[in-house]
Amino acid sequence: MTDKKLKLVVSTGAGISAESGISTFRDADGLWENYPVMEVASADGFRRNPALVHQFYNARRADLGTKKPNAAHLLLKELEKYYDVQVITQNVDDLHERAGSSNILHLHGELTKVRALDDEFKTFKVDYATATTPDTVMDGHHVRPHIVFFQEAVPNFEPATALAAEADIFVIIGTSLVVYPAAALLHYVRKGTPIYYIDPNPSTIPEGVTLIRKKATEGMAELARILIEKATEK
Ligand code: APR
């Protein structure tokens, strides 16, 4: 009996953080209903008005400091007892980190970091109260939010596809599957690999996916029971 754990690869979007009180992007009253996305979250917008973009991410970072992980984040940590769990997230919040997940890959950056304008690999950890401006200098570098803006490449997508290709079980939680390349991740999963999708109001239901039409906390409670039973059956 090998004690090698099966690989559970989990792709999360804004929906997993909704029950922590963090707004999603495309639901009713979502972030993009209240902010002009191409002004505050695109490369062109940052070039046109960097101060506005700094302000937008400063406000989201400060808000994040008042939020905490929910039961869905915590269950992903719990499943590490039974599986080799790899989280791939589109979210820029640190709720997976605070829930204690061991393996997290951010596709779209992190609110709790800024990076040098002239060196994308030089990042600085900042606390929730940090408010940067175009004039902020750290270690001699002007900085920007460590966020992948629209119109920018997603450098972590390639390593994410390698993880998806190794999955023994693939789970999608709380993403509308409309933003690429993240939405294409499930196509890198080996044929015949079980894919579960937890979303109370999915905009699309990919072929061959088992949909759990529930909120993340309820859906993860149901899926955790299934996965723990699968992992412990003799
Ligand atoms: N539990 C689970 N899923 C939920 C919940 C919940 N409580 N509430 C909403 N959802 C689902 C919605 O039904 C929707 O399918 O979460 C999804 C949220 O979709 P989006 O708002 O589009 O968020 P996401 O898919 O993460 O956006 C992808 O777009 O703007 C960019 O960079 C940004 O990473 C983001 C990317």
Side-chain angles (χ1 to χ4, degrees):
M1 140 102 164
T2 67
D3 57 5
K4 190 166 167 4
K5 292 176 183 165
L6 291 180
K7 284 187 184 309
L8 176 67
V9 180
V10 186
S11 172
T12 68
I16 196 171
S17 298
E19 290 161 271
S20 294
I22 296 182
S23 175
T24 63
F25 296 94
R26 297 172 181 82
D27 285 313
D29 196 31
L31 214 59
W32 299 146
E33 271 186 21
N34 298 306
Y35 291 91
V37 54
M38 294 314 277
E39 312 248 314
V40 295
S42 77
D44 284 344
F46 185 62
R47 261 189 294 278
R48 268 197 305 273
N49 187 347
L52 177 67
V53 175
H54 277 275
Q55 271 166 21
F56 176 68
Y57 286 100
N58 291 340
R60 291 180 66 197
R61 185 182 303 114
D63 178 58
L64 177 56
T66 68
K67 305 293 190 277
K68 59 185 191 328
N70 62 56
H73 297 101
L74 296 171
L75 277 168
L76 289 180
K77 170 61 183 172
E78 178 69 14
L79 283 171
E80 292 185 9
K81 289 178 189 158
Y82 305 92
Y83 292 90
D84 172 4
V85 182
Q86 169 64 51
V87 176
I88 301 168
T89 187
Q90 297 172 78
N91 299 341
V92 294
D93 65 51
D94 64 345
L95 298 185
H96 285 303
E97 284 82 354
R98 283 196 262 152
S101 282
S102 310
N103 308 302
I104 305 165
L105 184 63
H106 284 271
L107 291 179
H108 295 162
E110 299 176 66
L111 273 177
T112 56
K113 290 178 184 168
V114 296
R115 70 167 186 257
L117 262 183
D118 56 354
D119 177 356
E120 64 178 289
F121 299 105
K122 192 165 185 56
T123 60
F124 305 93
K125 192 95 174 68
V126 292
D127 56 37
Y128 303 115
T130 298
T132 54
T133 74
D135 301 327
T136 303
V137 172
M138 290 185 185
D139 193 20
H141 297 264
H142 280 92
V143 294
R144 57 165 275 177
H146 184 50
I147 299 290
V148 177
F149 295 145
F150 281 104
Q151 304 163 327
E152 292 186 329
V154 181
N156 281 344
F157 182 65
E158 198 177 324
T161 59
L163 293 170
E166 291 167 2
D168 297 309
I169 300 170
F170 192 74
V171 181
I172 305 166
I173 309 174
T175 175
S176 57
L177 293 167
V178 297
V179 173
Y180 285 80
L185 213 43
L186 79 151
H187 301 306
Y188 290 80
V189 173
R190 284 168 298 175
K191 206 164 164 41
T193 303
I195 302 179
Y196 296 90
Y197 179 23
I198 299 173
D199 195 307
N201 180 23
S203 39
T204 60
I205 304 172
E207 188 75 21
V209 158
T210 303
L211 174 66
I212 299 176
R213 191 183 287 271
K214 289 187 176 161
K215 291 184 168 186
T217 53
E218 295 147 28
M220 264 312 297
E222 180 178 323
L223 182 59
R225 274 195 302 277
I226 296 167
L227 294 181
I228 291 169
E229 195 173 306
K230 204 190 273 261
T232 52
E233 68 197 13
K234 292 291 164 252

